[in-house]
Amino acid sequence: MYQLYQTTRSAAMSTHAALEEIGAKYELIAVDLSKPRTDEHLALNPQGKVPILVHDKGKERRVIFQSAACLLYLGDQHPEAKLLPPLGTIERAHCHQWLFFMAEQLQPAYLMHFYPERFTSDANGIPGVQTKAAELVDQAWRVLEGQLNPGPYLLGKAITICDLYMLTFSIWHQPHHRPLESYQNVARTLAAVRERPAVQRMLDANGAA
Ligand SMILES: N[C@@H](CCC(=O)N[C@@H](CS)C(=O)NCC(=O)O)C(=O)O
């Protein structure tokens, strides 16, 4: 049994999609990010962010935060779902590569858009931070566009946690960003990911269908 601390349309979406893909039993714990975090939340993640994945495995309570880490954990726990290549293979190394790439290049660019005040000590600098964020968003999607040729998924023929992770960022994409439809391979892959019944259940629950 899993618990997922989340907020709709947040970084928790990829973990939520993976839980649906796996068919695991889970409970969503809604967190109101506009309110101070509870002591219970901070004990699970000292940064007070979501997602947090809690796994009660036998007598052990396991807690993981950072969405890419939650995805890797779920992939390892449920090899039968085939969302994560086996350890020691080049495919697994490439899976880490693309997760780290998106965690390092794409996610911070969107966070710069949503939380610009965290990236400058000068209130007048906020529009500049958001302009830079849009440039970084474009640079990262261009790299993914190249990787998705021929695709159809980031690691090739089969969908993995990398594609579920990528989907989150497409939902955070903003009207002033270069439209995702203009990255043709990206658009094709995202459409295929969104068509999956498990992903649709996650999107419905997040008001992002
Ligand atoms: N790199 C983290 C980012 C987590 C994150 O920034 N979550 C946001 C919601 S999308 C959050 O909890 N924000 C509240 C805050 O920063 O106080 C991950 O992928 O889990």
Side-chain angles (χ1 to χ4, degrees), residues 30-57:
V31 177
D32 183 346
L33 292 179
S34 69
K35 296 203 172 127
R37 304 302 178 271
T38 61
D39 289 345
E40 183 216 358
H41 186 129
L42 292 171
L44 298 174
N45 179 353
Q47 281 198 296
K49 298 187 184 210
V50 292
I52 305 167
L53 182 67
V54 179
H55 185 197
D56 286 315
K57 188 162 182 171

Short mmCIF file of all heavy atoms in Angstrom, two decimals, residues 30-57:
data_model
loop_
_atom_site.label_atom_id
_atom_site.label_comp_id
_atom_site.label_asym_id
_atom_site.label_seq_id
_atom_site.Cartn_x
_atom_site.Cartn_y
_atom_site.Cartn_z
N ALA A 30 -3.96 14.89 -0.08
CA ALA A 30 -3.93 16.23 -0.68
C ALA A 30 -3.22 17.21 0.26
O ALA A 30 -3.52 17.26 1.45
CB ALA A 30 -5.35 16.69 -0.96
N VAL A 31 -2.29 17.96 -0.28
CA VAL A 31 -1.56 18.97 0.49
C VAL A 31 -1.94 20.34 -0.05
O VAL A 31 -1.92 20.54 -1.27
CB VAL A 31 -0.03 18.76 0.34
CG1 VAL A 31 0.74 19.86 1.07
CG2 VAL A 31 0.39 17.39 0.84
N ASP A 32 -2.29 21.26 0.85
CA ASP A 32 -2.60 22.62 0.43
C ASP A 32 -1.31 23.44 0.54
O ASP A 32 -0.88 23.81 1.63
CB ASP A 32 -3.70 23.20 1.33
CG ASP A 32 -4.11 24.60 0.89
OD1 ASP A 32 -3.39 25.21 0.08
OD2 ASP A 32 -5.15 25.07 1.39
N LEU A 33 -0.71 23.70 -0.62
CA LEU A 33 0.60 24.38 -0.61
C LEU A 33 0.48 25.85 -0.22
O LEU A 33 1.50 26.51 0.03
CB LEU A 33 1.27 24.25 -1.99
CG LEU A 33 1.72 22.85 -2.41
CD1 LEU A 33 2.33 22.88 -3.81
CD2 LEU A 33 2.70 22.24 -1.42
N SER A 34 -0.75 26.37 -0.16
CA SER A 34 -0.90 27.78 0.24
C SER A 34 -0.85 27.92 1.76
O SER A 34 -0.82 29.03 2.28
CB SER A 34 -2.22 28.36 -0.30
OG SER A 34 -3.31 27.76 0.36
N LYS A 35 -0.87 26.79 2.47
CA LYS A 35 -0.87 26.84 3.95
C LYS A 35 0.49 26.36 4.47
O LYS A 35 1.19 25.62 3.78
CB LYS A 35 -1.96 25.92 4.49
CG LYS A 35 -3.35 26.36 4.09
CD LYS A 35 -4.37 25.81 5.05
CE LYS A 35 -5.74 26.42 4.75
NZ LYS A 35 -6.76 25.41 4.56
N PRO A 36 0.84 26.79 5.72
CA PRO A 36 2.09 26.28 6.30
C PRO A 36 2.04 24.76 6.37
O PRO A 36 0.97 24.17 6.60
CB PRO A 36 2.11 26.89 7.71
CG PRO A 36 1.14 28.01 7.67
CD PRO A 36 0.11 27.69 6.63
N ARG A 37 3.19 24.13 6.17
CA ARG A 37 3.22 22.66 6.19
C ARG A 37 3.06 22.15 7.63
O ARG A 37 3.54 22.78 8.57
CB ARG A 37 4.54 22.13 5.63
CG ARG A 37 4.88 22.57 4.25
CD ARG A 37 3.85 22.22 3.18
NE ARG A 37 4.32 22.78 1.93
CZ ARG A 37 4.03 24.01 1.51
NH1 ARG A 37 3.21 24.77 2.20
NH2 ARG A 37 4.55 24.48 0.39
N THR A 38 2.42 21.01 7.73
CA THR A 38 2.26 20.39 9.05
C THR A 38 3.60 19.78 9.49
O THR A 38 4.48 19.51 8.66
CB THR A 38 1.21 19.25 8.99
OG1 THR A 38 1.71 18.28 8.05
CG2 THR A 38 -0.14 19.77 8.54
N ASP A 39 3.71 19.54 10.79
CA ASP A 39 4.93 18.88 11.31
C ASP A 39 5.07 17.50 10.68
O ASP A 39 6.18 17.04 10.40
CB ASP A 39 4.87 18.76 12.84
CG ASP A 39 5.01 20.11 13.51
OD1 ASP A 39 5.44 21.07 12.83
OD2 ASP A 39 4.66 20.20 14.70
N GLU A 40 3.93 16.85 10.47
CA GLU A 40 3.96 15.49 9.87
C GLU A 40 4.57 15.56 8.47
O GLU A 40 5.43 14.74 8.12
CB GLU A 40 2.52 14.95 9.79
CG GLU A 40 2.43 13.54 9.27
CD GLU A 40 1.19 13.30 8.40
OE1 GLU A 40 0.36 14.21 8.23
OE2 GLU A 40 1.09 12.18 7.87
N HIS A 41 4.16 16.56 7.69
CA HIS A 41 4.69 16.71 6.33
C HIS A 41 6.20 16.98 6.38
O HIS A 41 6.99 16.34 5.67
CB HIS A 41 3.95 17.86 5.62
CG HIS A 41 4.31 18.02 4.18
ND1 HIS A 41 3.37 18.10 3.18
CD2 HIS A 41 5.52 18.12 3.55
CE1 HIS A 41 3.99 18.24 2.01
NE2 HIS A 41 5.28 18.26 2.22
N LEU A 42 6.59 17.90 7.26
CA LEU A 42 8.02 18.28 7.33
C LEU A 42 8.88 17.13 7.83
O LEU A 42 10.06 17.04 7.47
CB LEU A 42 8.20 19.51 8.21
CG LEU A 42 7.60 20.79 7.61
CD1 LEU A 42 7.62 21.93 8.63
CD2 LEU A 42 8.36 21.19 6.34
N ALA A 43 8.27 16.24 8.61
CA ALA A 43 9.04 15.07 9.07
C ALA A 43 9.30 14.12 7.89
O ALA A 43 10.32 13.42 7.85
CB ALA A 43 8.28 14.35 10.17
N LEU A 44 8.40 14.14 6.92
CA LEU A 44 8.57 13.26 5.76
C LEU A 44 9.48 13.89 4.71
O LEU A 44 10.25 13.22 4.03
CB LEU A 44 7.21 12.95 5.12
CG LEU A 44 6.22 12.19 6.01
CD1 LEU A 44 4.86 12.08 5.32
CD2 LEU A 44 6.75 10.80 6.35
N ASN A 45 9.36 15.22 4.55
CA ASN A 45 10.20 15.95 3.60
C ASN A 45 10.52 17.32 4.20
O ASN A 45 9.66 18.19 4.26
CB ASN A 45 9.48 16.12 2.25
CG ASN A 45 10.33 16.90 1.25
OD1 ASN A 45 11.39 17.43 1.59
ND2 ASN A 45 9.87 16.99 0.02
N PRO A 46 11.76 17.50 4.65
CA PRO A 46 12.10 18.75 5.34
C PRO A 46 11.92 19.99 4.48
O PRO A 46 11.81 21.10 5.00
CB PRO A 46 13.57 18.56 5.74
CG PRO A 46 14.06 17.40 4.96
CD PRO A 46 12.87 16.57 4.58
N GLN A 47 11.85 19.83 3.16
CA GLN A 47 11.61 20.99 2.29
C GLN A 47 10.12 21.32 2.17
O GLN A 47 9.76 22.33 1.57
CB GLN A 47 12.18 20.72 0.89
CG GLN A 47 13.68 20.92 0.81
CD GLN A 47 14.09 21.08 -0.65
OE1 GLN A 47 13.93 20.15 -1.44
NE2 GLN A 47 14.59 22.24 -0.99
N GLY A 48 9.27 20.44 2.66
CA GLY A 48 7.83 20.71 2.63
C GLY A 48 7.22 20.64 1.25
O GLY A 48 6.15 21.18 1.01
N LYS A 49 7.91 19.99 0.32
CA LYS A 49 7.40 19.94 -1.05
C LYS A 49 6.64 18.64 -1.30
O LYS A 49 6.71 17.70 -0.50
CB LYS A 49 8.57 20.05 -2.04
CG LYS A 49 9.31 21.38 -1.91
CD LYS A 49 10.34 21.54 -2.99
CE LYS A 49 11.10 22.83 -2.76
NZ LYS A 49 11.59 23.45 -3.94
N VAL A 50 5.96 18.60 -2.43
CA VAL A 50 5.36 17.36 -2.93
C VAL A 50 6.01 17.06 -4.27
O VAL A 50 6.46 17.98 -4.96
CB VAL A 50 3.82 17.49 -3.10
CG1 VAL A 50 3.15 17.63 -1.76
CG2 VAL A 50 3.43 18.63 -4.04
N PRO A 51 6.08 15.78 -4.66
CA PRO A 51 5.48 14.62 -4.02
C PRO A 51 6.32 14.05 -2.89
O PRO A 51 7.52 14.27 -2.81
CB PRO A 51 5.42 13.61 -5.16
CG PRO A 51 6.65 13.90 -5.97
CD PRO A 51 6.77 15.41 -5.92
N ILE A 52 5.60 13.27 -2.05
CA ILE A 52 6.25 12.35 -1.12
C ILE A 52 5.53 11.02 -1.32
O ILE A 52 4.29 10.97 -1.35
CB ILE A 52 6.07 12.79 0.35
CG1 ILE A 52 6.56 14.22 0.57
CG2 ILE A 52 6.79 11.81 1.29
CD1 ILE A 52 6.12 14.81 1.90
N LEU A 53 6.31 9.98 -1.47
CA LEU A 53 5.75 8.63 -1.61
C LEU A 53 6.05 7.86 -0.33
O LEU A 53 7.21 7.81 0.10
CB LEU A 53 6.40 7.93 -2.82
CG LEU A 53 5.89 6.53 -3.15
CD1 LEU A 53 4.44 6.57 -3.65
CD2 LEU A 53 6.78 5.87 -4.21
N VAL A 54 5.01 7.30 0.26
CA VAL A 54 5.18 6.48 1.48
C VAL A 54 4.75 5.07 1.12
O VAL A 54 3.68 4.87 0.53
CB VAL A 54 4.33 7.03 2.65
CG1 VAL A 54 4.51 6.17 3.88
CG2 VAL A 54 4.72 8.48 2.95
N HIS A 55 5.62 4.14 1.44
CA HIS A 55 5.35 2.73 1.12
C HIS A 55 5.41 1.91 2.40
O HIS A 55 6.48 1.82 3.02
CB HIS A 55 6.41 2.23 0.12
CG HIS A 55 6.17 0.83 -0.36
ND1 HIS A 55 7.14 0.08 -0.97
CD2 HIS A 55 5.06 0.04 -0.31
CE1 HIS A 55 6.65 -1.10 -1.30
NE2 HIS A 55 5.40 -1.15 -0.91
N ASP A 56 4.28 1.36 2.78
CA ASP A 56 4.27 0.46 3.94
C ASP A 56 4.53 -0.94 3.42
O ASP A 56 3.66 -1.56 2.79
CB ASP A 56 2.92 0.54 4.66
CG ASP A 56 2.81 1.84 5.44
OD1 ASP A 56 3.79 2.20 6.13
OD2 ASP A 56 1.77 2.51 5.34
N LYS A 57 5.75 -1.39 3.65
CA LYS A 57 6.16 -2.71 3.13
C LYS A 57 6.42 -3.61 4.33
O LYS A 57 7.42 -3.44 5.04
CB LYS A 57 7.42 -2.55 2.27
CG LYS A 57 7.77 -3.83 1.55
CD LYS A 57 8.70 -3.61 0.39
CE LYS A 57 8.94 -4.93 -0.31
NZ LYS A 57 9.65 -4.87 -1.53
#
